[in-house]
Amino acid sequence: MAEHSDIVIAGGGPVGAALALGLRDSGLSVTLIEARVPGAAVDDTRTIALSHGSRLILERLGVWPGLAAETIPIHRISISQQRRFGRTELSADEANVPALGYVIGYAALQRALASALEQTTVRVRAGCAVLAVSGDAEGAVASIDAAGTRQELAARLIAIADGGAQLDIAHVKTHDYRQSALVCDVASEQLHQNRAFERFTPDGPLALLPTARGWSLVWTVQPERAQQLGTLVDAEFCRRLHAAFGGAVGAFTKAGRRQIFPLVLKCAGPPVAPRTLLIGNAAQTLHPVAGQGFNLGLRDAWELARAVLARGESDPGGRELLNEYFSQRRFDRIATILFTDTLIRLFCKDIPLLNGARGLGLAVLGAVPPAKNFLARRMMFGARG
Ligand SMILES: Cc1cc2nc3c(=O)[nH]c(=O)nc-3n(C[C@H](O)[C@H](O)[C@H](O)COP(=O)(O)OP(=O)(O)OC[C@H]3O[C@@H](n4cnc5c(N)ncnc54)[C@H](O)[C@@H]3O)c2cc1C
């Protein structure tokens, strides 16, 4: 007979783990299935800019105290375009918050969530891959590969949080940006002073986020150029970065190991199987511009947990609850996808007429407090800010 849990979460990345934590006091049995083997290091050099809104959620999940010491607060964000006029700066003081956001390593975030989960009754099955899910009006089933043995897990709800990796249960619309994000640690002559930079270039945006070691770089370029930049010796890489970014932080003095992420926008429709839903990157995978992906996925996890908790111990996979969740998340999802996609379409094309208009737009944004406030709130809280 298949093992049973009220809720199975397929994927224990940061979004799946956050959902499991949000459900810890639900009175329901929850099983989290994660493909990575127990104790394996997370080989991912990306850093995540957590928004102020995400900090509030992580506080409610009880994770923030274990995380705070590893984060670097962002006090100012400078937004500009390469070799063109127009620039705007957002500041925590003006937005009246302690920080506009917080930078944390992806691996450190995963560790903090995993260690918080150890204090709960959530059953974590690491080293198990979910192969397929199915569902009907009565229940859902996840087929898993547990160290070479195929097993079935029955549930009332299966939340898929596999990062959009494999599970094929919904129609997914995709748009290939034909860009890759090259990610690595860099150091510069000037200290970061809790500043972050987003600089738009015709190839794609280039972001610098403050870290304990200097900066975390996310440099978006065409895939072939990313591969080429990835193989350069450090000194030459630093020189090219300086040429692309300019002198706002002085010369770059060090570059760490480089990782490359292909960038494709993915937007999944509702799953075909009843009693299943998608959250985080499984539901939508965004361009990393403006650091919105995890922040949006965390709101998916938080809102789903709240919807389940609000119904007490009644059926968590019932159609009413799922419909309510979809319609509640729709606006935030669509608005955030449009926000990031529009930034790329608008700012990363070298069209002379557009260059002037964009510069003007950035200058106006910097000078008009309500417009600036709108942008700051969008970065901090998402579409419902
Ligand atoms: C370069 C870059 C920079 C970014 N910067 C930011 C930022 O500053 N701010 C921000 O908010 N977002 C950022 N993002 C987006 C962010 O990384 C993602 O939105 C976030 O990681 C999504 O989390 P997730 O848990 O949904 O998916 P993932 O992080 O992909 O985790 C999925 C998990 O599921 C597991 N898994 C996969 N398949 C299976 C299976 N079949 N069975 C069981 N387990 C499985 C995987 O092992 C993994 O642990 C960035 C993305 C990139 C590429």
Side-chain angles (χ1 to χ4, degrees):
M1 213 175 77
E3 187 182 314
H4 182 274
S5 265
D6 290 316
I7 300 181
V8 164
I9 304 169
V15 171
L19 172 62
L21 277 175
L23 293 169
R24 67 195 185 284
D25 297 324
S26 62
L28 300 166
S29 53
V30 178
T31 300
L32 178 75
I33 313 287
E34 167 54 39
R36 208 175 36 254
V37 292
V42 178
D43 180 28
D44 197 315
T45 50
R46 95 185 92 159
T47 52
I48 302 286
L50 298 170
S51 66
H52 180 68
S54 290
R55 172 192 168 152
L56 300 180
I57 295 178
L58 291 166
E59 276 175 3
R60 289 175 198 140
L61 293 177
V63 188
W64 188 254
L67 205 59
E70 301 206 50
T71 63
I72 301 286
I74 301 173
H75 294 155
R76 278 181 293 153
I77 304 177
S78 168
I79 307 169
S80 61
Q81 31 171 8
Q82 190 186 48
R83 296 187 199 101
R84 309 261 173 226
F85 93 101
R87 180 173 169 277
T88 191
E89 192 161 296
L90 307 176
S91 86
D93 284 348
E94 277 183 80
N96 215 7
V97 286
L100 290 167
Y102 302 83
V103 182
I104 176 88
Y106 178 90
L109 177 63
Q110 283 272 50
R111 274 197 305 275
L113 289 161
S115 97
L117 269 178
E118 283 169 13
Q119 319 303 317
T120 69
T121 56
V122 171
R123 180 160 189 233
V124 179
R125 295 192 60 178
C128 295
V130 178
L131 304 173
V133 296
S134 58
D136 59 27
E138 305 306 316
V141 175
S143 303
I144 65 167
D145 175 354
T149 311
R150 195 166 173 134
Q151 296 176 1
E152 305 228 302
L153 289 186
R156 293 199 282 169
L157 171 68
I158 299 181
I160 295 159
D162 69 341
Q166 293 160 25
L167 295 171
D168 182 19
I169 68 149
H171 176 67
V172 182
K173 284 191 194 154
T174 60
H175 169 70
D176 187 347
Y177 285 111
R178 285 187 226 101
Q179 294 177 342
S180 290
L182 182 148
V183 174
C184 74
D185 287 340
V186 292
S188 64
E189 284 174 337
Q190 283 183 27
L191 299 178
H192 61 63
Q193 297 168 316
N194 300 90
R195 291 171 295 168
F197 292 87
E198 185 89 69
R199 193 160 173 75
F200 291 96
T201 80
D203 282 348
L206 189 165
L208 284 178
L209 298 172
T211 69
R213 301 165 301 281
W215 304 95
S216 170
L217 168 71
V218 185
W219 189 359
T220 313
V221 288
Q222 285 114 354
E224 308 74 42
R225 180 136 186 259
Q227 293 299 336
Q228 197 190 41
L229 288 168
T231 58
L232 292 177
V233 295
D234 293 357
E236 181 57 15
F237 179 80
C238 288
R239 205 188 58 71
R240 302 263 184 112
L241 177 58
H242 187 262
F245 180 72
V249 298
F252 292 96
T253 52
K254 265 192 211 156
R257 184 166 71 92
R258 286 153 238 166
Q259 271 187 334
I260 293 169
F261 298 82
L263 301 179
V264 178
L265 170 66
K266 292 187 196 163
C267 180
V272 284
R275 295 183 173 275
T276 60
L277 51 69
L278 301 150
I279 57 169
N281 269 31
Q284 66 273 317
T285 304
L286 314 184
H287 194 289
V289 65
Q292 301 280 311
F294 172 67
N295 293 306
L296 177 63
L298 183 61
R299 296 197 291 278
D300 287 348
W302 175 249
E303 294 300 340
L304 177 58
R306 285 216 317 177
V308 171
L309 263 94
R311 282 171 187 265
E313 292 179 26
S314 67
D315 186 359
R319 190 180 297 175
E320 206 183 314
L321 187 148
L322 298 193
N323 287 346
E324 193 184 294
Y325 170 77
F326 286 130
S327 56
Q328 202 270 344
R329 295 300 302 137
R330 208 177 132 77
F331 176 66
D332 190 12
R333 236 187 125 197
I334 293 177
T336 311
I337 291 172
L338 279 178
F339 175 59
T340 54
D341 192 52
T342 306
L343 282 177
I344 295 306
R345 288 175 196 269
L346 202 63
F347 278 97
C348 298
K349 287 204 165 64
D350 201 9
I351 301 170
L353 248 177
L354 262 185
N355 294 338
R358 286 185 299 232
L360 195 63
L362 281 177
V364 168
L365 205 56
V368 178
K372 203 166 155 176
N373 197 24
F374 168 80
L375 182 65
R377 292 194 70 78
R378 169 57 57 87
M379 306 281 278
M380 289 188 297
F381 298 108
R384 285 169 179 266

